Amino acid sequence: METVQNVLQRTFGFLPEWFIGLAFVCLAIVCALVTHRIAVALAKRAIGPKRSIAIVILDTTAGPIRLALCLAAVAFALPLAPLSDELRVALTHLFAVASIALVGWISIRAVDLAAGRYLLRFRDEIGENFLARKHVTQVRVFKRVIDTLIIVVAISTALMTFDSVRQYGVSLFASAGAAGLVVGLAARPLLSNLIAGVQIAITQPIRIEDAVIIENEWGWVEDIASTYVVIRLWDWRRMVVPLSYFIERPFQNWTRDAASLIGSVMLHVDYAADVPRIRKRLEEVVRESRLWDGAVVNLQVVDTNSRTMELRALVSARNAPQAWDLRCEIREKLVAFLQKDMREALPRERADISPPYPRYDDLLRPADAALGARN
């Protein structure tokens, strides 16, 4: 160690001592990064393209491994670098904070790898697979909750390495005064959403790709984060909803137990309409459609008024988008059928037009004539 220091002093003696020390530490970090790059390239060449899982693991752990190698290089170079005591203490403190960050990073990557390994069995399309959607939702929610907790613990541990922050944190947690109350109230939304996430993962009121109606908006559950849910609306907009919403307020879930749905089509027809004939046409339309799942088709007179009868056609489809398209298709074809083959069934106005009421003089004139003839 003394030999290395003497060589550095003789070679770069004209530079400031602190600059030489920092340059030596930076050089060690660069060597660590180059070593990692070469090692990863050799490992990928040895593994080959067929072992995709190993390649994914290498790519996922590349960041923590680079940081670990850099910390190892700094730990080796720091005692050799000609630094002042103050700068050495500062770098040592930074090394400790980076080590805490490394532990947190490794923990998050371990959780990600475990979750990804578990979800490999559900790699197929999960639109109709309710068991897969259940497990994917639970794993994603729990993973994000655990990641959040790891980040909070890592940041808290790193901050506690600073004397001023450690003293403030100890006094804050030890006291039950107004400051603790304010912090608790400020953290309530975050904690309530985290707890709601755990409840959602266990009770499963929503799952990934569930069709839901929230605030009169219809869409699919695209993502469930640690504190919010992203709803992909039918027109490609995104609605971001807090997790606590799904615990505290009512909403519609169209695919809670099954994806198939029954859709309705309402028609207003004249009283002269031949309902059995319209019902037969409805059955022909749904049998010709690729959207019908073959389960439900029905036509009923559900209401009447002074002018028309109200018909309701019920049809079923495999999922919500197909149910919507099937309803539109049936409505269009039934209207075309009424226009072309049953025009008497179209709504129309009726009126009874009587002859004009005769005047009073005209009513008396025949009576007067009869009276005169009699006299």
Side-chain angles (χ1 to χ4, degrees), residues 1 40 43 147 158 161 197 200 203 206 258 271 281-282 314 352 359:
M1 184 178 301
V40 169
D147 289 349
T161 60
I200 288 174
T203 59
I206 56 173
Y271 277 92
R281 177 55 183 164
L282 170 66
L314 296 180
D352 186 9
R359 293 185 304 171

Side-chain angles (χ1 to χ4, degrees), residues 224-300:
I224 301 178
S226 56
T227 57
Y228 61 88
V229 177
V230 179
I231 307 297
R232 184 179 70 253
L233 301 182
W234 64 274
D235 55 359
W236 299 352
R237 290 178 296 153
R238 298 299 190 271
M239 176 184 287
V240 180
V241 185
L243 275 173
S244 57
Y245 181 98
F246 297 92
I247 302 299
E248 300 171 355
R249 302 181 63 181
F251 64 95
Q252 295 185 36
N253 189 337
W254 287 12
T255 55
R256 177 65 179 85
D257 297 320
S260 57
L261 291 173
I262 296 177
S264 63
V265 176
M266 310 302 294
L267 291 176
H268 292 270
V269 298
D270 191 78
Y271 277 92
D274 187 352
V275 177
R277 187 180 173 191
I278 298 176
R279 183 179 293 115
K280 182 179 179 181
R281 177 55 183 164
L282 170 66
E283 294 174 354
E284 293 174 354
V285 170
V286 296
R287 289 193 180 97
E288 294 171 358
S289 176
R290 60 179 180 81
L291 301 173
W292 185 50
D293 63 355
V296 176
V297 55
N298 191 16
L299 181 72
Q300 293 176 312

Side-chain angles (χ1 to χ4, degrees), residues 305-316:
N305 55 38
S306 59
R307 295 179 55 250
T308 62
M309 297 185 295
E310 186 175 5
L311 306 183
R312 184 183 67 180
L314 296 180
V315 290
S316 59

Side-chain angles (χ1 to χ4, degrees), residues 174-232:
S175 63
L181 181 61
V182 171
V183 172
L185 291 175
R188 189 184 65 83
L190 174 62
L191 296 177
S192 64
N193 282 311
L194 288 176
I195 295 173
V198 175
Q199 289 179 289
I200 288 174
I202 295 174
T203 59
Q204 296 279 300
I206 56 173
R207 293 180 294 255
I208 299 296
E209 292 301 323
D210 268 350
V212 295
I213 294 181
I214 300 176
E215 301 292 333
N216 296 324
E217 296 281 2
W218 180 76
W220 295 268
V221 178
E222 183 177 59
D223 189 20
I224 301 178
S226 56
T227 57
Y228 61 88
V229 177
V230 179
I231 307 297
R232 184 179 70 253

Side-chain angles (χ1 to χ4, degrees), residues 136-216:
V136 169
T137 301
Q138 288 179 334
V139 169
R140 286 188 181 181
V141 172
F142 280 128
K143 182 180 75 68
R144 284 167 179 168
V145 170
I146 293 173
D147 289 349
T148 302
L149 293 177
I150 291 173
I151 292 173
V152 171
V153 171
I155 293 176
S156 302
T157 306
L159 291 176
M160 296 297 282
T161 60
F162 297 90
D163 293 336
S164 58
V165 177
R166 181 172 64 249
Q167 293 172 1
Y168 176 75
V170 171
S171 62
L172 179 63
F173 286 111
S175 63
L181 181 61
V182 171
V183 172
L185 291 175
R188 189 184 65 83
L190 174 62
L191 296 177
S192 64
N193 282 311
L194 288 176
I195 295 173
V198 175
Q199 289 179 289
I200 288 174
I202 295 174
T203 59
Q204 296 279 300
I206 56 173
R207 293 180 294 255
I208 299 296
E209 292 301 323
D210 268 350
V212 295
I213 294 181
I214 300 176
E215 301 292 333
N216 296 324

